[in-house]
Amino acid sequence: MGKMGNEKVHTISGYHPILKAVADRIVPADAWPSATEVGVLSYIERYVHGNAAIWTEVLEPGLRALQALAFARQGQAFEELSADQQDRLLEELESSDSIRDWPGSAQRFVETVASLAIEGYYGNPEARDSTDNRPWDMLGFRPGTLSNEHSASHEVDLQLTPLNKLKDRYDVIIVGAGAGGSVAAAVLAEAGRSVLVVERGSWLRYAEVGNDHLRNHRLSKYGHNTGPSLAGNPRTIGIDNGEERTTLPYEGDYHNNAMTVGGGTRVYGAQAWRFHADDFRMATRYGIPDGSSLSDWPISFEELEPYYERAEWEVGVSGDSEAHPSYGRRERAYPMPALSRTREAELLARGAAKLGWEVGPVPLLINSIERDGRQACGRCGQCVGFACPTNSKNGGHNTMLVRALATGHCDLICDTIAERIVTENGKHAAGVSLAQEVTGNIVRKQVRAGHVVVAAGAIESARLLLNSSSDAEPDGIGNRNGLVGRNLQGHVYSGAFGLYDEPFQDGLGPGVSIATLRFAHGNGGGIIGGGLLANEFTRLPLIHYYRALAPNAPRWGIAGKDAMRTSYLRTSQLMGPIQEIPNPEARVRLSKTVKDRFGIPVAMLSGSVHPETIRASRMLADKAEEWQWASGARQVWRANPGTGLSGGQHQSGTLRMGEDPASSVTDPSGRVHGYDNLWVCDGSVHVTNGGVNPVLTIMALAFRTADNLVKQP
Ligand SMILES: Cc1cc2nc3c(=O)[nH]c(=O)nc-3n(C[C@H](O)[C@H](O)[C@H](O)COP(=O)(O)OP(=O)(O)OC[C@H]3O[C@@H](n4cnc5c(N)ncnc54)[C@H](O)[C@@H]3O)c2cc1C
Ligand code: SF4
């Protein structure tokens, strides 16, 4: 690094020798290549190109300081030192607060450079696309399908209708083409109604969803792989003193679900659980904890059961119909058998047997056999968070929307936001006001409707109702009692990791393969509602690095590389959602200060989870630890729950259903109280969110609500 010393060098190329030396200490060469041997230097260069501040504020001063330290300690440039000497200097920086002559944090420098080298090594898009990905081969990660082919190119190309071709009026306008909206579209169009589905996201083909390991719905470090786009679509977080903090769509506290055709189902993990019968009568069974709004549903499991069956048969679930008998018996078998068990599931089944726990496969909205002209799951290594390479994952986009469009009665418009529902006298929905951005200009259009179905997901549906105020309802539709947007809930997750002596991960996607519902209701610990424990989906290498390495594992150097290599196929994760105790202070409001690209106030989120929820999730983590030990793990560590607001991918509850308009927003049929033709078909209507993943319940309710609508004169 000849240009160091007092001379200031701003370009990264001037630092190549020292940067290369540092990156190759983070991931050194052994029998497998080093960081820079697989292109990490150009990865960092590209990163710095788009993030100039990281270079000027962190990396450049850090490299200069490191070089100064090398000269001070060893009288030589860093890149000329031995590997041991280099490691010792990096360790010294890592453990010191700051470096002389550099006001920034030395730790931040080491963390940043290490993080970039690791990203470039285990998740570099260039290395990933090569047929010879040495880091992934080293770990045993197989991204593709078993046959290494993909047939998503055969996926149906959905017919879209442009704004200027929309009719002036439809029998029904559905806002949102996600889980609930797509079910409603098929039921209504097949019943002969003229239907318009409005989706703010884009119709993304398999290749457009892509497989970027740093920008997806499982690891969204710099972005995500659906919508909304990062510019012009913020939300805010309400802070105690009345101020707001802006958050972007890929950040955790945005609580995003995928915004694209299919909504969450485009990239989901597809676990297809029914809620337990007692999930519908939580207050009756447990009483109402202080500070909570725990309540019974106005409908029973028995009322919803026929619609669960429809969701399982019409959208398509594979599973073992005899499994989990203590959770509840089924009237009708699943339409497809369960996928074969993974080796990890075999191992965990032996552990559960020692404990005497009932376990079984996980029902999945995934084809285990060829069905409806689409093939069986190709068992690829990157299922959750991505689109399916074999088009075997059953979501709104490739099942119900296809059916709706096939009727010829349904139009689908994308990249168009429903900005407001137009109402008459606070009791009738007359239509929807749409907005679209065309080459930088905002275009607006109002479309009239016989009925409006809101299916925009629990956060955006509440936002839409709040943004649709009128003289009759100045605080927003259905909000006379201030309930719209309250009781936001999702699922707090907890669990435990286990490190085993022998490799057992076979990489067969989706990976989630064994579960127990023993700790739902009747869990023995006085815990309200309990939850589900299941093994985790197949893990991206970077997710393994960030979330699944043992707490005491080295993170860099030869030892760090060895820890990755030896633990990747030997680590199991058990985790699960817990029945959340809703509280009215967890809520969606309108931002007072921030608007989106269309000038519409964005959602402001605030609140946190109820203490009972945290207590319950600690119980689940205890049980996960017990299961890992019983299965033979040699080291076990917990994944503890977060305590902040819970919404995210399992968001629900903001327009809860009930008999009484004083305590609910929608009535038991799924219609907004006081309205004759305004319906809600998404997770918003959930009174409670079950101790399992919610999508099958959202779909079942959408079938029921759409049926109710069809019965209207
Ligand atoms: C990575 C991931 C994994 C998941 N895994 C599972 C799982 O294994 N099992 C499970 O049960 N659930 C899972 N989920 C959650 C599941 O996908 C959601 O519960 C479900 O999709 C929610 O359905 P919904 O109808 O409420 O809303 P969504 O499916 O989110 O659909 C809402 C749609 O409305 C659109 N929209 C929003 N506002 C507007 C507007 N103003 N105008 C027009 N359109 C609008 C959105 O773009 C979106 O497409 C997962 C989700 C993700 C992202
Ligand atoms: S594992 Fe998931 S994404 Fe992969 S082929 Fe099967 S269903 Fe599709």
Side-chain angles (χ1 to χ4, degrees), residues 253 255 488 491-494 578 580-581 583 585-586 606-618 639-647:
D253 54 9
H255 293 278
L488 175 64
H491 278 128
V492 167
Y493 269 75
S494 65
I578 200 80
E580 284 197 12
I581 307 306
N583 82 80
E585 296 312 319
S606 57
S608 58
V609 293
H610 192 277
E612 274 299 315
T613 301
I614 302 301
R615 198 166 79 88
S617 64
R618 291 213 175 99
N640 281 319
T643 54
L645 183 68
S646 173

Side-chain angles (χ1 to χ4, degrees), residues 366 377-380 382-383 387-390 392-393 509-510:
I366 289 177
C377 164
R379 312 300 301 259
C380 79
Q382 36 197 22
C383 184
C388 176
T390 52
S392 319
K393 194 153 56 165

Side-chain angles (χ1 to χ4, degrees), residues 17-30 33-41 44 78 83 86-87 90 113 117 121 556-558 561:
I18 186 171
L19 192 54
K20 176 178 182 308
V22 172
D24 282 344
R25 290 322 304 150
I26 302 299
V27 189
D30 50 12
S34 73
T36 61
E37 282 166 354
V38 299
V40 162
L41 214 49
I44 297 179
F78 182 85
Q86 290 174 338
D87 283 355
L90 284 170
V113 77
Y121 194 72
W556 59 269
I558 279 288
K561 188 177 182 186

Side-chain angles (χ1 to χ4, degrees), residues 627-644:
W627 193 357
Q628 294 287 12
W629 287 124
S631 304
R634 79 152 124 95
Q635 185 183 357
V636 175
W637 63 100
R638 293 163 73 101
N640 281 319
T643 54

Side-chain angles (χ1 to χ4, degrees), residues 90-410:
L90 284 170
E91 282 160 10
E92 189 180 332
L93 278 199
E94 199 179 22
S95 57
S96 66
D97 284 339
S98 60
I99 312 169
R100 203 154 51 86
D101 301 333
W102 180 38
S105 156
Q107 286 164 354
R108 186 165 173 227
F109 162 69
V110 181
E111 270 167 32
T112 306
V113 77
S115 182
L116 288 171
I118 293 291
E119 282 165 17
Y121 194 72
Y122 294 112
N124 183 352
E126 278 172 10
R128 187 193 60 224
D129 291 341
S130 103
T131 47
D132 180 23
N133 189 312
R134 302 279 286 153
W136 289 356
D137 292 346
M138 175 184 85
L139 300 183
F141 171 66
R142 174 184 54 79
T145 59
L146 281 180
S147 64
N148 237 352
E149 287 173 11
H150 76 76
S151 67
S153 52
H154 304 310
E155 68 188 347
V156 177
D157 208 8
L158 297 175
Q159 176 79 44
L160 307 181
T161 305
L163 197 69
N164 61 4
K165 292 280 173 4
L166 297 185
K167 296 177 194 141
D168 293 334
R169 183 189 182 280
Y170 290 82
D171 292 337
V172 189
I173 298 180
I174 300 173
V175 179
S182 58
V183 167
V187 173
L188 294 163
E190 287 174 354
R193 304 292 191 274
S194 65
V195 175
L196 170 63
V197 181
V198 182
E199 170 55 49
R200 70 181 273 183
S202 307
W203 166 223
L204 299 174
R205 281 78 171 176
Y206 170 74
E208 289 167 316
V209 176
N211 48 21
D212 187 332
H213 282 202
L214 285 155
R215 293 169 192 81
N216 60 74
H217 283 275
R218 211 59 172 179
L219 182 57
S220 54
K221 193 159 181 198
Y222 303 120
H224 57 203
N225 49 353
T226 62
S229 54
L230 305 192
N233 296 295
R235 283 178 182 159
T236 68
I237 307 300
I239 307 170
D240 285 346
N241 58 10
E243 290 181 4
E244 299 174 50
R245 173 171 58 75
T246 300
T247 174
L248 298 179
Y250 69 95
E251 293 177 317
D253 54 9
Y254 190 94
H255 293 278
N256 197 16
N257 212 333
M259 293 207 191
T260 175
V261 173
T265 72
R266 186 71 179 108
V267 292
Y268 67 175
Q271 293 193 45
W273 298 102
R274 295 175 171 198
F275 283 4
H276 188 277
D278 281 356
D279 292 349
F280 295 85
R281 44 184 187 235
M282 292 288 291
T284 300
R285 174 157 180 176
Y286 296 101
I288 305 172
D290 286 349
S292 86
S293 45
L294 192 65
S295 187
D296 289 350
W297 287 57
I299 60 170
S300 65
F301 172 82
E302 288 71 24
E303 251 176 290
L304 201 56
E305 186 172 15
Y307 297 102
Y308 273 127
E309 268 180 18
R310 282 187 70 180
E312 288 162 354
W313 277 81
E314 295 185 35
V315 188
V317 174
S318 57
D320 176 353
S321 308
E322 305 300 319
H324 310 291
S326 314
Y327 187 70
R329 298 271 173 198
R330 329 171 42 78
E331 292 290 315
R332 194 177 178 199
Y334 290 116
M336 292 177 279
L339 285 168
S340 65
R341 246 186 194 177
T342 62
R343 276 183 64 204
E344 180 188 18
E346 298 290 353
L347 174 101
L348 292 165
R350 289 195 289 276
K354 282 191 206 153
L355 295 165
W357 293 0
E358 182 179 284
V359 292
V362 175
L364 294 161
L365 284 140
I366 289 177
N367 287 355
S368 59
I369 52 176
E370 188 178 328
R371 191 163 191 261
D372 290 339
R374 286 181 295 106
Q375 68 188 71
C377 164
R379 312 300 301 259
C380 79
Q382 36 197 22
C383 184
V384 66
F386 299 93
C388 176
T390 52
N391 203 12
S392 319
K393 194 153 56 165
N394 300 321
H397 58 287
N398 60 356
T399 61
M400 305 309 281
L401 275 176
V402 173
R403 270 172 51 177
L405 294 175
T407 62
H409 304 307
C410 180

Side-chain angles (χ1 to χ4, degrees), residues 688-700:
T688 48
N689 209 23
V692 293
N693 312 50
V695 83
L696 197 74
T697 303
I698 293 170
M699 290 172 175

